[in-house]
Amino acid sequence: MTLTFVDWAIVVAYFALSAGIGLWFTKKGGESLSEYFLSGRNVPWWLAGASMVATTFAADTPLVVTGLVVAHGVAGNWLWWNMLMSGMLTVFFFARLWRRANVMTDVEFAEIRYAGRPAAVLRGFRAVYLALPINLIILGWVTRAMVKILTISLGLHDVEIFGTTVSGDVMAVALCFIVTVAYSSAAGMWAVLWTDLIQFVIKMTAVIVLAVFAVKAVGGMGALKTGLAAHFGSETAALSVLPVSISPDGGLVAYAWMPLLSLAVFLSVQWWAAWYPGAEPGGGGYIAQRIFSAKTERDGVLATLFFQVAHYALRPWPWIVTGLATVLLYPNLADKESGYVHAFVDLLPTPWRGFMMAGFAAAYMSTVGTQLNWGASYLVNDFYKRFINRTAKEHHYVTVSRWTTVGLFLAAGWVTMHLSSVEKAWELLLALGAGTGLVLILRWYWWRINAWSEISAMTSSFVMSLYMFGKLSWLGLPAPALVTGDSPNATAWRMIITVAVTTVVWLATTFLTAPEPDSILDSFYQRVRPGGRGWLPVSRRLGYGHEQIPGGALAWTNWIAGIIAVYGTLFGIGKLVFGEVVTGLVMVLVAIAAFAWIARSFGGGRGESVNSGRAAPVPAPAQGD
């Protein structure tokens, strides 16, 4: 692909703008750790929410969605659409509590909720585990995807550096990485937030334009639907938003790639039971980091709600439409995901080529900026400051944070070069979270959960996952036939068995070990005020009586309404895009009604306010700080 002067000017202008934002916020971001990692807890909801959406729009995301729809049609997206239910739990049950916790990272939570050495070990372990192996492999993946994009689109010539030949595409990605490191390390979260906002606007504009050109290239929407019906066997198989169809006798017929058992597990177990970066049960990770940075509880809730709507309902359709068009445009392509890149190379004219290149750079840099800042927050706040140097001044910790960000950049480069050898390690690292979701949720709402509950859940989940993947056969424990192989049903049974065993183990551990000391439980309750029957012994001891959970019964109805609203918007937009106007409008109207119900919580009317009318709890200092 050849870029004109205008295209290159757009790309250069984007890089200059990103670097300028970093320089603008360098002084402010360096004032304290709170400014560096949380923007002084003074971020409005729309900026925090936009940053969440931008972060989850990585360079590889459109490619992954393209691979899903080419293989399975629109319904293939249920592999990630199912996580909405967990996201809505975060909105209405955990966002307020995270904001009240007044911590800098989600792993710091361990030492305000639990006591003693187990709490400290849990905090330190999770900090290193998330900041290094998990974080670096994510950075390696998105970097490798960006190299693929540039290899296909630009095919830059190799460069000789100190006698070593380096791919031009790798050099281009390195430039993106270095600019991101520069503004992330200099200005911290303020730079990440504002560049995220600009990057989100750029990349959404680019993918919408590409979708329009892709539909035009196949002859219009009618020709696209006809071609997809021939390829998938029917228009329903290609465009249905559900991975099931209705048989002539009225029964449900599952598609081969998503048997009913797998679908049932996705919809009833996966979303609350499994931990995954960016979709943690009970919230967490960089989503929690944005909640911590919000001005108020209300801003934290609204930011998380905006993220769920934009992430699941507004953003996917341009990717999906382009992905479907690649089925017809590139039917013989071996790497189906790369069809997305071929589409923009072949279809976009100047200046949209330059805009799309800037969009891919933005997608890459928004994810990298967050991962670097987020990972450094764990290493500095939860490891260095907590266990190595607890008495230094704020300026020292900010300096360490900047160098830690640079260090993560260098480590990510090494991981990228060795990614093929660590992909299996990623599978095992995620096994630490398979089945731990319930304890991560209930630790907020049940006083009896202790540090050993979490530790035993992680340990048993990891051991069970090793067993399920046949990694313990050397001990004479081969994996059962029910879970061997890569079939959808085998995957579903692995999840069911792992969750069941893990839940039994952590519940037994909870009741066989002592509860946390009353002083810790009282301090946590006064700090967060979670309410509910699960905290009744503590709330009564403190003189609060039987308090409702924040939001009361309305939290449950809002959760259901939120799911209806987002799925209604998602499916309604899809119907409108493919010309089913009446059905689409009905779905959108249902979504509007659900949003109106939720709005009662924020409008000061009959519904309960976001803050539930309670006095703001006074935060206690984190243990060990």
Side-chain angles (χ1 to χ4, degrees):
M1 180 180 71
T2 302
L3 297 181
T4 67
F5 173 81
V6 174
D7 295 320
W8 281 116
I10 292 171
V11 174
V12 171
Y14 161 72
F15 277 100
L17 180 60
S18 298
I21 291 172
L23 291 173
W24 179 266
F25 285 106
T26 295
K27 182 179 180 181
K28 188 172 184 61
E31 292 175 0
S32 66
L33 274 188
S34 178
E35 289 289 348
Y36 192 83
F37 288 126
L38 300 180
S39 299
R41 303 184 193 271
N42 197 35
V43 178
W45 67 267
W46 50 269
L47 182 57
S51 179
M52 294 180 192
V53 186
T55 293
T56 54
F57 186 162
D60 63 332
T61 316
L63 281 65
V64 171
V65 171
T66 295
L68 289 175
V69 299
V70 170
H72 307 305
V74 172
N77 288 283
W78 276 104
L79 293 173
W80 63 281
W81 281 348
N82 73 89
M83 300 306 295
L84 168 67
M85 289 169 284
S86 177
M88 280 298 171
L89 276 183
T90 301
V91 174
F92 296 112
F93 288 89
F94 302 109
R96 281 171 283 200
L97 303 184
W98 276 121
R99 185 62 180 81
R100 293 177 186 182
N102 200 40
V103 292
M104 187 165 291
T105 69
D106 57 319
V107 301
E108 187 180 337
F109 174 91
E111 289 199 287
I112 67 169
R113 178 63 177 82
Y114 312 125
R117 188 178 297 275
V121 170
L122 183 61
R123 179 180 179 180
F125 169 77
R126 287 190 65 84
V128 174
Y129 157 71
L130 292 171
L132 295 179
I134 293 293
N135 191 32
L136 293 177
I137 293 174
I138 292 173
L139 285 168
W141 268 346
V142 298
T143 299
R144 188 169 68 174
M146 191 62 180
V147 171
K148 178 197 287 190
I149 290 165
L150 292 178
T151 300
I152 296 172
S153 60
L154 296 180
L156 299 176
H157 297 294
D158 292 345
V159 182
E160 191 81 14
I161 300 178
F162 300 119
T164 302
T165 301
V166 180
S167 166
D169 304 307
V170 172
M171 289 295 296
V173 174
L175 174 63
C176 296
F177 212 153
I178 290 169
V179 172
T180 309
V181 171
Y183 70 69
S184 298
S185 61
M189 181 55 70
W190 278 117
V192 171
L193 290 169
W194 281 103
T195 52
D196 275 354
L197 177 63
I198 293 169
Q199 288 161 349
F200 179 62
V201 172
I202 291 173
K203 54 197 179 185
M204 279 306 300
T205 303
V207 297
I208 290 171
V209 169
L210 177 58
V212 172
F213 275 93
V215 172
K216 183 179 179 181
V218 299
M221 188 59 70
L224 175 63
K225 293 166 72 173
T226 300
L228 291 173
H231 178 83
F232 286 97
S234 71
E235 186 176 308
T236 300
L239 304 182
S240 173
V241 294
L242 299 175
V244 293
S245 58
I246 307 297
S247 66
D249 60 0
L252 287 178
V253 178
Y255 297 147
W257 63 271
M258 179 67 81
L260 289 178
L261 175 63
S262 298
L263 180 61
V265 170
F266 270 115
L267 297 182
S268 62
V269 178
Q270 175 92 14
W271 59 270
W272 59 262
W275 179 94
Y276 192 86
E280 297 88 346
Y286 48 79
I287 302 301
Q289 186 188 36
R290 301 307 191 273
I291 297 171
F292 303 151
S293 70
K295 285 183 178 181
T296 63
E297 286 180 31
R298 178 188 176 90
D299 284 283
V301 174
L302 285 172
T304 316
L305 178 60
F306 173 78
F307 166 62
Q308 306 303 327
V309 175
H311 178 64
Y312 290 102
L314 303 181
R315 193 177 59 185
W317 285 110
W319 305 335
I320 294 171
V321 169
T322 302
L324 291 172
T326 66
V327 172
L328 307 184
L329 293 171
Y330 310 104
N332 300 317
L333 202 60
D335 181 359
K336 301 301 183 184
E337 291 186 358
S338 68
Y340 194 93
V341 185
H342 285 286
F344 100 74
V345 169
D346 296 339
L347 303 178
L348 290 183
T350 297
W352 292 115
R353 283 184 174 183
F355 210 84
M356 178 59 82
M357 290 303 302
F360 269 119
Y364 174 71
M365 293 165 67
S366 63
T367 300
V368 168
T370 286
Q371 297 295 141
L372 291 174
N373 185 271
W374 174 62
S377 72
Y378 289 139
L379 294 178
V380 176
N381 183 69
D382 300 297
F383 193 80
Y384 179 77
K385 183 181 178 183
R386 172 64 182 87
F387 298 104
I388 298 176
N389 187 345
R390 302 173 62 176
T391 59
K393 295 182 178 179
E394 285 293 294
H395 175 73
H396 171 78
Y397 291 127
V398 172
T399 301
V400 171
S401 300
R402 286 171 169 160
W403 282 110
T404 301
T405 302
V406 175
L408 285 173
F409 152 64
L410 297 175
W414 182 88
V415 170
T416 302
M417 292 187 291
H418 298 82
L419 198 58
S420 59
S421 62
V422 300
E423 284 185 332
K424 287 298 181 184
W426 170 257
E427 189 176 82
L428 296 180
L429 287 167
L430 285 184
L432 278 170
T436 60
L438 191 58
V439 72
L440 297 178
I441 290 172
L442 290 182
R443 64 185 182 173
W444 289 99
Y445 289 107
W446 187 23
W447 71 275
R448 192 59 180 81
I449 300 285
N450 59 30
W452 291 110
S453 306
E454 280 201 47
I455 293 170
S456 63
M458 292 175 62
T459 304
S460 59
S461 176
F462 183 63
V463 172
M464 281 302 299
S465 294
L466 289 177
Y467 172 55
M468 292 294 162
F469 283 106
K471 304 298 183 182
L472 300 182
S473 56
W474 61 279
L475 291 175
L477 297 171
L482 186 67
V483 300
T484 55
D486 296 322
S487 71
N489 280 340
T491 301
W493 278 115
R494 280 197 294 268
M495 175 59 66
I496 292 170
I497 296 171
T498 300
V499 170
V501 173
T502 300
T503 302
V504 169
V505 169
W506 76 254
L507 278 173
T509 302
T510 299
F511 287 112
L512 291 172
T513 53
E516 298 298 338
D518 287 350
S519 59
I520 288 292
L521 297 173
D522 293 353
S523 172
F524 178 78
Y525 191 90
Q526 289 175 311
R527 182 180 186 134
V528 177
R529 300 280 290 280
R533 291 186 177 275
W535 283 96
L536 201 54
V538 178
S539 63
R540 282 178 172 168
R541 181 171 65 238
L542 293 171
Y544 294 116
H546 183 190
E547 290 191 305
Q548 289 186 320
I549 64 172
L554 195 59
W556 288 104
T557 60
N558 280 344
W559 176 63
I560 296 171
I563 294 170
I564 293 171
V566 173
Y567 281 144
T569 305
L570 172 66
F571 301 156
I573 291 175
K575 294 296 183 182
L576 293 174
V577 166
F578 293 117
E580 299 179 41
V581 177
V582 175
T583 305
L585 288 176
V586 169
M587 290 182 171
V588 170
L589 288 174
V590 170
I592 291 172
F595 280 124
W597 175 268
I598 295 171
R600 296 165 72 243
S601 300
F602 301 93
R606 291 183 302 155
E608 190 170 357
S609 71
V610 166
N611 292 315
S612 305
R614 297 181 183 178
V618 178
Q623 182 183 347
D625 287 351

